[in-house]
Amino acid sequence: MCGIVGINSSKPVTGVIINSLKKLEYRGYDSAGVAVLNDGLINETKCEGRVENLENIFLKNKNDGPVGIGHVRWATHGIPSQLNAHPHSSESVSVVHNGIIENSTILKKHLIRAGHQFKSQTDTEVITHLISEYLKKNDLKTSILKMLKRLHGSFAIGIILKNFPDVVVGVRRGSPLAVGYGPNENYLGSDSYALKTMTNKVTYLDDDEFCFIYKDHVEFYSADGEKINKEIIEVSSEQSDYDKGNFKHYMAKEIHEQPVTIKACLKEYIDQINQNINIINFPWDINEIENIKLIGCGTAYHSCLTAKYWIEQLTNIEVETDIASEFRYRKNRFKKSQLYIFVSQSGETADTYAALDLCKKNNMKTCSIVNVIESSIARDSDYVLPIHCGPEVGVASTKAFLGQLLVLYLLTLKLSVERKDVSQAKYKEKIKSVLMLPKLIKETLSTENEIQEAAKDFAHAKGSMFLGRGYSFPIALEGALKLKELAYVHAEGYPAGEMKHGPLALIEQGMPVVVIAPRDEFYKKTVSNMQEVISRGGKVLLISNKSTDEISSENLWKKIDVETVNDDLLPFLTTIPLQLLAYYAAHILGYDIDKPRNLAKSVTVE
Ligand code: AGP
């Protein structure tokens, strides 16, 4: 999704801005641009497509200067094109923007009536003209305050101005924005990743705050124009792991990294000597929690769905799950006895953040499970549980999903023992099993060649289905999501037992269907459902686990066995072949695996 970089320096900045924009490529984007201020003029360079194209243009025309802003755009208003790429500049003001200006149509009408001429189809351009308009009669601070009052929606904005050549302005409402500090230069970035090659010292703006970034200092202001002091945070160095290694794609690297990332996470959370889970210092009394609400989007939502089964199984707490974009607009009954858990890899997903914000405003207990610990969701939750899996660059979430599952599982175990829902003996036995996961995940990765073979049929299919029961149902949803987002093949995840209530009609001769049926309590039932699919011509790829007893099924197309582990932990293993299946299907089709079309890593707009 969109990303911002700004620099105020005494040296030329375009090259540095372009390098920082490359750091933001993982977010997904369709065009890029940079504007610099030099000798009293604003110079823009913009292009459709990759930052590489921008770099090539820059290498030819050397448009440079000591003060500048850059942007990668993910289209919301107006098609991806050079014209709609940011920055959007008038003669005196240049603007980059993340988010959406909800009242842009009405503002545009007023501005056109006042004589402004628009070049693009974007909502962002109204910001450029609005500031230019206010600056006719006001100083810079008053103009920004007036602009903040007029704009509706969510935004992070970076601005440079012809008549204020010593400043870069940053403004935030709803979308994250960070300020970074360097030697005789200072920076603006949509997150700390954007600034990581330049500094690890950052300050995050809060909603309705703005800042003036000078070369040698930064001034922060509140929504009423008061000067404020803000904390400087040192961001963790773990975010520096961006190397693809010997892998062709980040996604392949991230799938194969899972034994290591799960091990690292276990190390953080499990005291192996005392066989105890180090989830402590809850800001509330655990025994007062009667219900848990798990909230997330996409893959993170699937980890919430999986955790529902665990929490129901191992504790007496009631559990509900919710998709953040639905939760935030529903009439919610907030209960004091409820704990709200927000799951998000990036910690910046706009809908999940809005759901958290709503809960905070209603004084609810909030806990977040995130990968990026400096993120907005982590910063604004009462309690944070990091998943410790290192940066995930591929747009399709893989290692973060397993990391989320692990933290949710450990949290469930901790709650269950603290509330005495399970015995100490059972708790210790489960800890012992979970410690086996890195080894079992590694062994399960050896199914890669078999999966690669099966992927051909999925890549060329008109559509496919992913079926499972119990814990395997959310994993079916996750497998289908991966295939859709990477191979652009229609895939539907369904509870296996629901097939005969409608979707069975979709099954036709040769349709590839994944059935997830490890030998758990649902096994026999799922195998019966599988048989119904096979009888109607479905070509079934069965994902089960190693066992001595043979599966009594006729006409099964292929079977892949993951390792064997206790039932609760099977989702960690059955997920692996599904990640590989989507990866190889996309690979066969020649798609851009790390940056699938239309998608972004960090979804910072609604
Ligand atoms: C996963 O493969 C997706 N790209 C997507 O569903 C993602 O999980 C979702 O957008 C939520 O992101 P978050 O975890 O950063 O909040």
Side-chain angles (χ1 to χ4, degrees):
M1 207 131 281
C2 304
I4 291 175
V5 180
I7 307 183
N8 193 346
S9 177
S10 36
K11 299 174 284 189
V13 295
T14 309
V16 191
I17 290 179
I18 288 175
N19 276 338
S20 300
L21 292 179
K22 285 183 185 164
K23 292 272 165 293
L24 293 175
E25 290 193 295
Y26 76 95
R27 296 164 73 111
Y29 69 103
D30 47 57
S31 51
V34 59
V36 286
L37 210 51
N38 202 9
D39 285 338
L41 286 178
I42 291 173
N43 284 313
E44 267 185 10
T45 311
K46 310 203 287 192
C47 67
E48 195 185 332
R50 300 281 176 223
V51 176
E52 243 176 36
N53 306 347
L54 187 72
E55 191 168 30
N56 290 336
I57 303 172
F58 165 64
L59 290 174
K60 276 185 210 135
N61 68 14
K62 292 281 178 199
N63 222 342
D64 220 335
V67 177
I69 46 176
H71 192 261
V72 280
R73 173 178 188 251
W74 186 82
T76 58
H77 292 58
I79 53 162
S81 67
Q82 187 197 17
L83 202 68
N84 288 331
H86 301 205
H88 289 282
S89 312
S90 65
E91 200 202 316
S92 57
V93 177
S94 185
V95 171
V96 286
H97 161 226
N98 290 356
I100 291 177
I101 306 301
E102 286 169 359
N103 57 339
S104 63
T105 315
I106 183 95
L107 288 174
K108 192 169 174 176
K109 269 190 198 150
H110 290 311
L111 287 159
I112 288 173
R113 248 183 262 134
H116 291 262
Q117 284 179 1
F118 282 74
K119 292 180 273 192
S120 75
Q121 302 153 327
T122 64
D123 52 340
T124 304
E125 204 182 338
V126 297
I127 305 172
T128 311
H129 294 284
L130 202 59
I131 303 176
S132 309
E133 187 63 26
Y134 286 134
L135 280 171
K136 286 180 187 166
K137 291 187 188 149
N138 303 281
D139 62 20
L140 182 57
K141 194 173 103 181
T142 315
S143 302
I144 300 291
L145 283 167
K146 283 182 182 268
M147 176 192 83
L148 260 171
K149 287 211 176 84
R150 288 293 292 283
L151 296 181
H152 296 174
S154 68
F155 44 80
I157 302 169
I159 309 166
I160 54 172
L161 306 107
K162 181 180 157 188
N163 297 330
F164 303 87
D166 58 342
V167 69
V168 173
V169 180
V171 187
R172 173 198 158 139
R173 181 186 296 155
S175 290
L177 197 58
V179 168
Y181 306 89
N184 205 28
E185 55 183 29
N186 291 312
Y187 321 102
L188 184 70
S190 43
D191 60 29
S192 58
Y193 288 163
L195 308 179
K196 66 182 283 295
T197 49
M198 302 175 281
T199 184
N200 67 343
K201 289 191 177 54
V202 299
T203 294
Y204 292 99
L205 267 81
D206 288 311
D207 274 350
D208 287 308
E209 289 177 355
F210 60 98
C211 62
F212 292 161
I213 301 173
Y214 298 92
K215 251 193 327 242
D216 52 358
H217 73 288
V218 182
E219 291 170 6
F220 293 95
Y221 295 92
S222 65
D224 45 18
E226 294 297 316
K227 234 185 195 177
I228 49 171
N229 291 323
K230 302 274 300 173
E231 194 190 349
I232 298 178
I233 298 167
E234 281 203 22
V235 295
S236 61
S237 54
E238 90 172 7
Q239 309 296 354
S240 61
D241 177 20
Y242 275 91
D243 192 0
K244 226 187 283 179
N246 291 329
F247 291 96
K248 229 174 167 176
H249 302 98
Y250 281 106
M251 186 186 178
K253 177 195 166 222
E254 286 158 7
I255 291 174
H256 286 272
E257 230 172 28
Q258 291 177 112
V260 177
T261 55
I262 288 296
K263 196 171 181 176
C265 188
L266 286 167
K267 210 169 151 213
E268 293 288 337
Y269 284 105
I270 295 188
D271 169 354
Q272 293 206 27
I273 298 171
N274 298 311
Q275 287 191 307
N276 198 3
I277 296 169
N278 289 328
I279 297 182
I280 46 175
N281 297 335
F282 285 105
W284 342 271
D285 179 354
I286 289 183
N287 290 303
E288 279 177 12
I289 299 168
E290 286 169 19
N291 340 72
I292 289 182
K293 179 87 128 186
L294 296 151
I295 299 173
C297 302
T299 290
Y301 174 66
H302 296 155
S303 63
C304 296
L305 281 176
T306 316
K308 179 178 161 71
Y309 288 88
W310 287 326
I311 302 171
E312 280 175 354
Q313 180 94 0
L314 297 168
T315 77
N316 288 321
I317 305 172
E318 272 180 34
V319 201
E320 286 169 38
T321 55
D322 227 318
I323 293 172
S325 55
E326 290 295 315
F327 172 83
R328 63 183 289 194
Y329 293 115
R330 264 214 320 275
K331 191 174 168 198
N332 292 292
R333 271 94 186 151
F334 291 105
K335 295 178 224 152
K336 277 275 161 227
S337 58
Q338 193 146 22
L339 168 64
Y340 288 83
I341 301 180
F342 301 87
V343 183
S344 173
Q345 186 284 130
S346 61
E348 299 295 354
T349 300
D351 285 317
T352 313
Y353 183 81
L356 164 69
D357 196 43
L358 188 65
C359 291
K360 296 279 293 174
K361 287 186 176 129
N362 283 280
N363 298 317
M364 293 293 106
K365 305 174 180 69
T366 58
C367 167
S368 61
I369 295 178
V370 297
N371 194 24
V372 183
I373 50 172
E374 296 86 10
S375 60
S376 308
I377 290 176
R379 280 182 286 122
D380 290 350
S381 311
D382 298 332
Y383 192 67
V384 185
L385 294 168
I387 61 170
H388 299 289
C389 74
E392 187 179 67
V393 179
V395 164
S397 190
T398 51
K399 63 175 182 172
F401 179 59
L402 282 207
Q404 290 160 356
L405 289 187
L406 181 58
V407 173
L408 284 161
Y409 184 69
L410 297 177
L411 177 65
T412 307
L413 287 186
K414 189 68 179 178
L415 292 175
S416 70
V417 75
E418 292 282 316
R419 296 164 56 94
K420 303 196 174 34
D421 291 333
V422 302
S423 66
Q424 276 287 338
K426 194 168 175 191
Y427 172 67
K428 301 238 183 254
E429 189 191 303
K430 291 206 178 272
I431 291 181
K432 221 166 153 193
S433 302
V434 83
L435 286 167
M436 300 289 293
L437 277 179
K439 179 175 167 277
L440 298 175
I441 293 170
K442 194 168 179 198
E443 285 164 8
T444 300
L445 280 164
S446 67
T447 55
E448 185 159 9
N449 289 345
E450 294 167 79
I451 285 285
Q452 193 170 353
E453 205 36 52
K456 290 178 198 152
D457 291 69
F458 284 85
H460 300 294
K462 192 169 80 184
S464 64
M465 299 213 63
F466 287 67
L467 310 176
R469 279 172 178 253
Y471 303 126
S472 299
F473 164 52
I475 304 306
L477 292 177
E478 176 59 9
L481 175 64
K482 290 278 104 80
L483 191 69
K484 279 185 265 215
E485 74 176 325
L486 293 169
Y488 319 146
V489 171
H490 182 79
E492 221 176 317
Y494 231 81
E498 269 289 291
M499 283 300 281
K500 57 176 87 61
H501 300 287
L504 204 54
L506 288 171
I507 305 294
E508 52 187 45
Q509 202 58 42
M511 181 188 199
V513 177
V514 173
V515 175
I516 307 159
R519 267 95 164 168
D520 56 12
E521 57 179 306
F522 310 101
Y523 173 64
K524 287 200 175 119
K525 302 271 174 218
T526 316
V527 167
S528 306
N529 299 136
M530 174 177 85
Q531 219 47 66
E532 289 156 8
V533 170
I534 293 175
S535 315
R536 281 150 187 91
K539 207 167 159 186
V540 170
L541 166 63
L542 172 66
I543 310 287
S544 191
N545 58 331
K546 288 183 180 162
S547 167
T548 43
D549 57 305
E550 260 313 296
I551 290 188
S552 52
S553 169
E554 279 166 32
N555 301 324
L556 189 60
W557 174 50
K558 278 181 198 297
K559 177 163 84 77
I560 285 175
D561 285 332
V562 304
E563 295 301 309
T564 292
V565 69
N566 78 30
D567 288 6
D568 311 347
L569 300 176
L570 284 164
F572 289 91
L573 304 183
T574 50
T575 299
I576 307 286
L578 305 186
Q579 294 172 338
L580 291 166
L581 182 70
Y583 174 82
Y584 280 110
H587 199 277
I588 290 161
L589 295 164
Y591 293 143
D592 191 345
I593 293 183
D594 288 328
K595 298 186 196 99
R597 70 182 179 204
N598 306 337
L599 298 179
K601 183 69 186 160
S602 185
V603 185
T604 49
V605 293
E606 276 199 58

